[in-house]
Amino acid sequence: MTQQTSLLAKPSSDAATSTDAATPAKSHYVVLDGLRGVASLMVVVFHLFEAYAGGNPQKQIVNHGYLAVDFFFLLSGFVIAYAYDDRWAAGMGQWGFYKRRLVRLQPMIVMGSLIGATLLAFQHFSIFPKLEAVSAWQVAAVMLLGFVMIPLTPSAEIRGWGEIYPLNGPAWSLFYEYVANILYAAGLRKLSNRALGVLAGLAALALVHLLVFGPRGDVIGGWALDAGGVRIGLTRVLFPFFAGVLLMRLGKRIKVGGAFAVCSLLLVVALALPRFGGTERLWVNGLYEAFCVIVLFPLIVVIGAGEKDADGPSVRIARFFGDLSYPLYITHYPLIYIYTGWVVDRKVPAGQGALVGAGVFVAAVTIAYACLKFYDEPVRRWLGGKLLAGPRLRTPN
């Protein structure tokens, strides 16, 4: 772990702060930041193509784009361990940790819910059966509940898709991000590497069981507040998050020239490959997804964390997309609701819808960048100044 600071490019908003204002801020793993951006872009592309799949994963182009969420969980565990492991001994308490996570995550959660409520008026399509009967007061209540991450039951949600956050579906993964953060802070951070390895191993077995012996052969799900949805959500977050923590603590790195390009290619291919096994052998696709989450994604992180070169155009690209990744992920889906409803109700062929889809992609990136620069960064600076001790503290990522 002695080489960490030499590997990194710039002061990190990830590495929050200690209670000592004189403690220097840590630095980003800039390649990992960039990979988070690549994964976010793939999520948007996946959702755009999903409009043409008719709910059938066998027909989905860019088929495994949903695995980007599992990659995010892995990166999150790695970054949390890097940013905070050494700060508990320095006096940071649980509430200090929670405040830093709230400062990092909550402003964009609020913005995502607000954008979702604003665009709801353009989403009255047949695929959202409950929207016609929804009142403005209900929308306002759901928006406010979304602000504070209170999940809705299937009977209480307003869209008809069973989402715990029906104004902004992807917020479900932030719910489980918070669950993993709380588990880490409440005690699992104290585990030895051996004990953490056992925990990660058991979580990996649970993941394999879901994928190979489950009814779907994939990890799709986690956004519904029912027994099946909660099982999928917890199974998806527990292995990658705590495997990420373990990877950081073990300090294993693989040095590869052009790490950002190599890792980006591996990630894009993994997320874009078609579904395996067909409808008769769902377990085959399950094995592929287990391989991605348990083997390939950790390998990508180990390679990305081993990049020493913190300069050049590839690093600048990585840094840009790393900054953009979270705003893009948490704000793009209200546009996808509109695009999907339009494609389905109008029966728009893929060729005809491609130009509009490209426009949606550009709009999503533009909205995310505007949110980052004009809302997220200044709000986090303000909240950091109000809630975090010391004038030199930076907000965590």
Side-chain angles (χ1 to χ4, degrees), residues 239-260:
F239 170 76
F241 184 88
F242 288 104
V245 173
L246 184 61
L247 279 178
M248 180 62 214
R249 292 180 177 178
L250 293 176
K252 301 297 183 183
R253 308 290 182 264
I254 298 175
K255 301 172 186 177
V256 174
F260 179 52

Side-chain angles (χ1 to χ4, degrees), residues 212-249:
V212 176
F213 301 102
R216 293 185 53 93
D218 58 45
V219 294
I220 296 174
W223 50 79
L225 195 63
D226 54 27
V230 171
R231 179 202 175 190
I232 294 172
L234 289 174
T235 304
R236 291 186 74 172
V237 73
L238 287 177
F239 170 76
F241 184 88
F242 288 104
V245 173
L246 184 61
L247 279 178
M248 180 62 214
R249 292 180 177 178

Side-chain angles (χ1 to χ4, degrees), residues 39-50 65 68-69 72 108 111-113 115-116 119 123 167-174 324-340 359-369 371:
S40 292
L41 293 170
M42 289 296 292
V43 168
V44 179
V45 172
F46 168 80
H47 283 146
L48 287 169
F49 280 114
E50 195 175 28
V69 172
F72 292 148
M108 284 308 306
M111 178 56 70
S113 188
I115 291 173
L119 296 182
Q123 298 170 11
L167 296 180
N168 189 26
W172 74 268
S173 64
L174 275 299
L324 190 67
S325 60
Y326 178 46
L328 179 61
Y329 176 75
I330 205 63
T331 63
H332 79 282
Y333 208 68
L335 295 176
I336 299 296
Y337 287 131
I338 299 171
Y339 180 72
T340 302
V360 171
F361 183 89
V362 172
V365 172
T366 302
I367 290 170
Y369 185 76
C371 288

Side-chain angles (χ1 to χ4, degrees), residues 3-350:
Q3 63 179 338
Q4 284 172 2
T5 53
S6 67
L7 295 177
L8 313 171
K10 69 172 184 176
S12 173
S13 58
D14 268 340
T17 54
S18 72
T19 54
D20 177 4
T23 302
K26 294 184 180 179
S27 301
H28 278 290
Y29 280 95
V30 67
V31 172
L32 298 185
D33 279 352
L35 293 175
R36 190 171 61 237
V38 171
S40 292
L41 293 170
M42 289 296 292
V43 168
V44 179
V45 172
F46 168 80
H47 283 146
L48 287 169
F49 280 114
E50 195 175 28
Y52 300 93
N56 183 355
Q58 304 289 337
K59 298 180 179 180
Q60 169 69 1
I61 304 171
V62 188
N63 198 285
H64 292 92
Y66 49 85
L67 291 178
V69 172
D70 307 84
F71 185 69
F72 292 148
F73 288 146
L74 181 70
L75 286 178
S76 179
F78 187 96
V79 170
I80 289 293
Y82 170 61
Y84 296 104
D85 265 3
D86 60 352
R87 302 188 186 276
W88 301 98
M92 184 182 71
Q94 283 194 52
W95 179 235
F97 173 79
Y98 296 142
K99 284 193 295 184
R100 285 160 173 79
R101 298 312 292 154
L102 286 168
V103 168
R104 177 62 185 102
L105 298 175
Q106 207 61 30
M108 284 308 306
I109 288 173
V110 170
M111 178 56 70
S113 188
L114 182 61
I115 291 173
T118 302
L119 296 182
L120 196 69
F122 303 98
Q123 298 170 11
H124 289 271
F125 296 101
S126 63
I127 59 173
F128 309 128
K130 288 188 175 182
L131 287 187
E132 288 298 331
V134 172
S135 69
W137 290 109
Q138 286 177 292
V139 174
V142 170
M143 180 181 69
L144 293 175
L145 291 173
F147 285 174
V148 293
M149 294 297 288
I150 295 177
L152 299 180
T153 63
S155 61
E157 67 90 40
I158 61 172
R159 184 177 298 278
W161 281 12
E163 295 170 302
I164 58 177
Y165 303 111
L167 296 180
N168 189 26
W172 74 268
S173 64
L174 275 299
F175 175 84
Y176 287 101
E177 171 76 14
Y178 274 134
V179 169
N181 281 208
I182 292 169
L183 291 174
Y184 164 82
L188 294 184
R189 61 184 171 82
K190 300 176 183 178
L191 294 179
S192 66
N193 286 353
R194 184 184 297 274
L196 192 59
V198 171
L199 173 63
L202 292 174
L205 290 176
L207 181 63
V208 171
H209 185 270
L210 172 67
L211 285 166
V212 176
F213 301 102
R216 293 185 53 93
D218 58 45
V219 294
I220 296 174
W223 50 79
L225 195 63
D226 54 27
V230 171
R231 179 202 175 190
I232 294 172
L234 289 174
T235 304
R236 291 186 74 172
V237 73
L238 287 177
F239 170 76
F241 184 88
F242 288 104
V245 173
L246 184 61
L247 279 178
M248 180 62 214
R249 292 180 177 178
L250 293 176
K252 301 297 183 183
R253 308 290 182 264
I254 298 175
K255 301 172 186 177
V256 174
F260 179 52
V262 171
C263 292
S264 295
L265 179 61
L266 288 172
L267 184 60
V268 168
V269 171
L271 299 181
L273 284 177
R275 193 174 175 93
F276 297 97
T279 58
E280 301 300 321
R281 296 183 297 166
L282 297 175
W283 60 270
V284 175
N285 193 73
L287 284 178
Y288 170 73
E289 294 192 10
F291 168 78
C292 286
V293 178
I294 297 172
V295 179
L296 180 61
F297 290 171
L299 176 63
I300 290 172
V301 169
V302 168
I303 295 172
E307 173 63 83
K308 285 186 176 180
D309 184 8
D311 202 1
S314 66
V315 171
R316 288 191 288 273
I317 293 171
R319 185 176 299 136
F320 172 79
F321 284 115
D323 290 342
L324 190 67
S325 60
Y326 178 46
L328 179 61
Y329 176 75
I330 205 63
T331 63
H332 79 282
Y333 208 68
L335 295 176
I336 299 296
Y337 287 131
I338 299 171
Y339 180 72
T340 302
W342 173 71
V343 167
V344 172
D345 279 10
R346 299 286 184 87
K347 297 181 173 56
V348 180

